[in-house]
Amino acid sequence: MSFVNTPAFDSYRLRLAAGKESCVERTEHYLTVIHQRSALNAFLSVFENEALEEAHRVDQKIKRGTAGPLAGMVVAVKDVLCMKGKRTTCASKMLEKYEAIYDATVIERLRAADAVIIGKTNMDEFAMGSSNENSAFGPVKHPLDETRVPGGSSGGSCVAVAAGMSTTALGSDTGGSIRQPAGLCGMFGLKPTYGRVSRYGLVAFASSFDQIGPFANSARDVAHVLQVIAGYDERDSTSANVPVPGYLGAMNRNVRGLKIGIPKEYFTDALNSEIRSAIEKQIHRLKSSGAEVVEVSLPHSEYTIATYYILATAEASSNLARYDGARYGYRAQGARDLSEMYTKSRSEGFGTEVKRRIMLGTYVLSAGYYDAYYRKAQKVRRLIQNDFLDAFKKADCLITPISPTTAFRLGEKLEDPLQMYLNDIYTVSANLAGIPGISVPAGKDHQGLPVGMQILGKHFDEETLLRVADFLEAA
Amino acid sequence: MSVTIKDVEHISDLARLEFSEQEKEKFTHQLNDILKYVEKLNELDTSNVEPLSHVIELQNIFRADKVKPSIPTEEALKNAPAKTEEFFKVPKVIG
């Protein structure tokens, strides 16, 4: 449902091979759009010269017949991924001048596949947020209406694809940060199974939740990127040594016999009626093509937000302890001793939402509260995961909403953090359970704003998600 | 359980953060809102539930203790706010 001229990678690749277009021309086109739509604030750095040089190199390889599987694809990456010699800011004043000294595994793999990396995208600071308003470098705007948010935290990457500034993009998803913006902007966005993609070189927010995944205009383009970035990496001890299937082969446009679960707790009266009817239409399409629709129950759904915000902030408070102004990052001037340097550097370097989460995380881990909050939440996390394991005994995948509303206005939820957190109600469960989830466009509301729909799958079964997403896309 | 300004001061000390009086009040209010919400979890009896710390079965990974190339000192110091020779430079630790 792209509103820009980005051809599907399959057809574009044929044009490239036939010499009808070049990777340099495509890169130039994207650079032009990046400049034309700079008001969207999607990028924090653009690698103009290097991207063109790289595109030229790719064109040579195409001519020689030695090009890799992503030759011709131009990718934007969230500024939470390390690229050697490039600024990696996490949209924070804390890392404003930080230059990564190594490449993330996903960056190495994209390059080895001959993708061109065009720039690094804006985001909520340290990936904490659901609206992309928490960036130290200003909010990202929704490409269809600049008074609205694109969602977050991977808002810049999502907008890069949605506004036609790159073919695909990489984001990271800790509680919905790929799927929610994809939903609000009418894009495809995949959070793979925890462990499917190496986190080496991804700046950590909440390590037991974080996962890298692609944004694209189509399910097939998601599959192209996933094929390259998925797989075991010895440098990430939490990456899973599970074989990577051929994702494109699974996309057979056939859903006959597939069991699709509808979690009743996700479709209550509280759900916005336009979102409900858009999703029901898609479910109907699947049913009329031979899929079997079954009701399932996820009884602990009402506890997901509470569980998530205890565990994710606890992990964040620990992960962000490394920003002390000693070895890298922002250092406050004029501190009289080491302790004061730590406190002043952190207080001046972090933004409000990051501080709020560090405070909450520190509180739930502090002496006397650990069992009441942290350990309790870890136990409820098990119950939530068991809910999904039970549901997947009856269904091959689940269909749910992505977010309670379509794109909301800038500033609308900023003053009430709890309201902002509740926005993640349909997405955090996948991170708690470690399962994959994909956002698929499901239509528009009466204002013309995109409505997204989520498909959740079994651990390491991205194939089924992509197959259903691709089926729905091929109207 | 309800958080007071004194608790916020204690937590900010642990987290190495400092706040203005106004921010402390705001945080006290917001943390109370959030904590009140998360107390929902106490509705559940979890006495027989094993905590879940990792979502996929993980095994400890062993490898041979071999020397491999690592980040050179010069690179490691590249982002240092202050350095001297091959060290990170920080304010004095003991007064």
Side-chain angles (χ1 to χ4, degrees), chain A residues 86-103:
Chain A
K86 299 288 183 222
R87 285 202 317 161
T88 300
T89 69
C90 293
S92 180
K93 186 180 169 190
M94 182 59 86
L95 292 177
E96 190 171 1
K97 294 182 181 144
Y98 177 75
E99 275 184 17
I101 55 177
Y102 62 93
D103 280 329

Side-chain angles (χ1 to χ4, degrees), chain A residues 84 97-99 101 194 208 234 237-238 300 302-303 305-307 310 325-329 331 337-338 341-344 346-347 352 355-356 358-360 362-363 366 369 372-373 375-383 385 415 417-418 421-422 432-434, chain B residues 1-3 7-8 10-12 14-19 23 26-27 30-31 33-35 37-56 58-59 61 68 71 75-82 88-93:
Chain A
K84 190 174 175 162
K97 294 182 181 144
Y98 177 75
E99 275 184 17
I101 55 177
Y194 184 84
S208 80
E234 64 169 13
S237 58
T238 63
H300 297 94
E302 61 178 302
Y303 302 102
I305 292 277
T307 307
I310 291 171
R327 294 148 299 152
Y328 52 83
R331 180 186 291 190
D337 58 34
L338 191 63
M341 182 193 85
Y342 293 155
T343 303
K344 290 212 178 304
R346 290 167 63 77
S347 301
T352 307
K355 288 179 192 170
R356 184 158 39 234
I358 291 174
M359 290 288 285
L360 184 59
T362 306
Y363 180 77
S366 65
Y369 298 105
Y373 290 109
R375 201 172 161 79
K376 179 82 186 180
Q378 281 190 315
K379 289 178 165 195
V380 181
R381 187 176 192 181
R382 164 119 19 225
L383 296 175
Q385 190 183 51
E415 280 309 303
L418 186 56
Y421 297 172
L422 290 173
L432 286 161
Chain B
M1 276 178 266
S2 138
V3 176
D7 294 325
V8 166
H10 172 63
I11 299 298
S12 64
L14 292 175
R16 294 275 192 268
L17 290 170
E18 61 186 1
F19 299 104
E23 285 175 311
K26 199 171 169 181
F27 267 1
Q30 290 177 340
L31 287 179
D33 273 359
I34 297 166
L35 290 169
Y37 176 78
V38 304
E39 266 162 32
K40 222 177 149 49
L41 299 188
N42 293 330
E43 295 167 9
L44 294 169
D45 177 7
T46 52
S47 42
N48 294 318
V49 181
E50 270 295 297
L52 180 70
S53 54
H54 246 283
V55 288
I56 48 173
L58 285 176
Q59 283 178 337
I61 294 165
K68 284 192 202 167
I71 294 163
E75 286 275 289
L77 285 167
K78 200 175 107 176
N79 285 289
F88 295 105
K89 196 172 165 185
V90 294
K92 64 183 175 189
V93 179

Side-chain angles (χ1 to χ4, degrees), chain A residues 28 50 69 176 229 258 282 315 376 393 445 454:
Chain A
E28 280 169 346
E50 281 163 273
I229 63 173
L258 197 72
Q282 302 300 327
E315 293 186 21
K376 179 82 186 180
K393 285 176 192 157
D445 72 2
Q454 176 172 240

Side-chain angles (χ1 to χ4, degrees), chain A residues 78 80 121-124 127 129-130 132 140 150-160 169-174 176-182 211 213 215:
Chain A
K78 187 176 182 180
V80 71
T121 57
N122 202 350
M123 54 187 276
D124 281 301
S130 314
N132 220 125
V140 178
S153 69
S154 312
S157 284
C158 182
V159 169
L170 291 185
S172 65
D173 189 315
T174 305
S177 285
I178 292 173
R179 291 161 289 151
Q180 187 254 11
Q211 196 53 198
F215 287 96

Side-chain angles (χ1 to χ4, degrees), chain A residues 9-10 12-13 16 23 26-27 30 54-55 57-59 61-62 66-77 106-117 167-170 214-216 220-230 248:
Chain A
F9 185 61
D10 288 321
Y12 169 64
R13 208 159 47 161
L16 272 181
C23 186
R26 177 75 4 209
T27 307
Y30 287 133
E54 195 63 18
R57 199 184 59 82
V58 171
D59 282 332
K61 277 183 138 181
I62 292 169
T66 58
L70 296 186
M73 188 179 278
V74 179
V75 187
V77 300
V106 290
I107 300 288
E108 280 181 359
R109 290 188 179 184
L110 284 178
R111 285 212 182 106
D114 286 327
V116 169
I117 299 172
T167 323
T168 59
L170 291 185
F215 287 96
R220 288 186 69 82
D221 285 8
V222 169
H224 277 296
V225 178
L226 182 66
Q227 196 70 58
V228 165
I229 63 173
L248 287 139

Side-chain angles (χ1 to χ4, degrees), chain A residues 406-417:
Chain A
T406 51
F408 48 93
R409 291 200 185 277
L410 288 155
E412 198 177 311
K413 298 184 182 181
L414 262 187
E415 280 309 303
D416 189 346

